[in-house]
Amino acid sequence: MSNSVGLIESKGLVALIEATDVILKNSPVKFLGIHKLENGLVSIAVSGNSDYVRAAIDSGTEAGRKVGEIYSSSVIDNPTKELLELFSELFSESLSANVDEKATKKVFVSLKV
């Protein structure tokens, strides 16, 4: 049972919003943020217990595919500090703070579309 970061990337917002809705309603994970990439690609990140993150990403990916295009998804177990620093530039909430179980439970969502 380790800490993990999960990512989902989609074409457009509809599939990603559906995926996020399923994740947040059914999984005890922390939503780290949403980030607009180039060419209409959008990604989200969540963090928490490895088993919960894996289940959340799987269920979110499946739900998103029902309504749109999910390009990719990934779960990273025990991410390194360097990787967390790289992701913290993309998402509004610092990933390193959210991966730490003793960190604040505040969830800050920033839509950068």
Side-chain angles (χ1 to χ4, degrees), residues 3-61:
N3 288 322
S4 297
V5 173
L7 302 159
I8 298 178
E9 181 178 89
S10 75
K11 177 77 172 184
L13 279 175
V14 175
L16 200 61
I17 289 172
E18 180 68 21
T20 304
D21 182 53
V22 168
I23 288 171
L24 295 178
K25 286 180 178 175
N26 299 310
S27 304
V29 296
K30 297 174 188 170
F31 183 74
L32 300 177
I34 185 169
H35 182 73
K36 181 181 178 216
L37 305 167
E38 294 183 20
N39 299 325
L41 296 178
V42 187
S43 65
I44 62 162
V46 297
S47 70
N49 176 283
S50 180
D51 294 333
Y52 293 139
V53 169
R54 195 165 303 282
I57 294 300
D58 289 344
S59 64
T61 299

Side-chain angles (χ1 to χ4, degrees), residues 40-93:
L41 296 178
V42 187
S43 65
I44 62 162
V46 297
S47 70
N49 176 283
S50 180
D51 294 333
Y52 293 139
V53 169
R54 195 165 303 282
I57 294 300
D58 289 344
S59 64
T61 299
E62 182 180 329
R65 283 194 173 126
K66 290 181 182 177
V67 298
E69 295 180 58
I70 298 290
Y71 279 0
S72 64
S73 62
S74 180
V75 174
I76 302 167
D77 292 323
N78 296 318
T80 64
K81 281 189 174 188
E82 293 83 10
L83 186 60
L84 293 174
E85 289 172 9
L86 177 70
F87 283 132
S88 70
E89 295 177 16
L90 297 175
F91 298 98
S92 59
E93 186 78 9

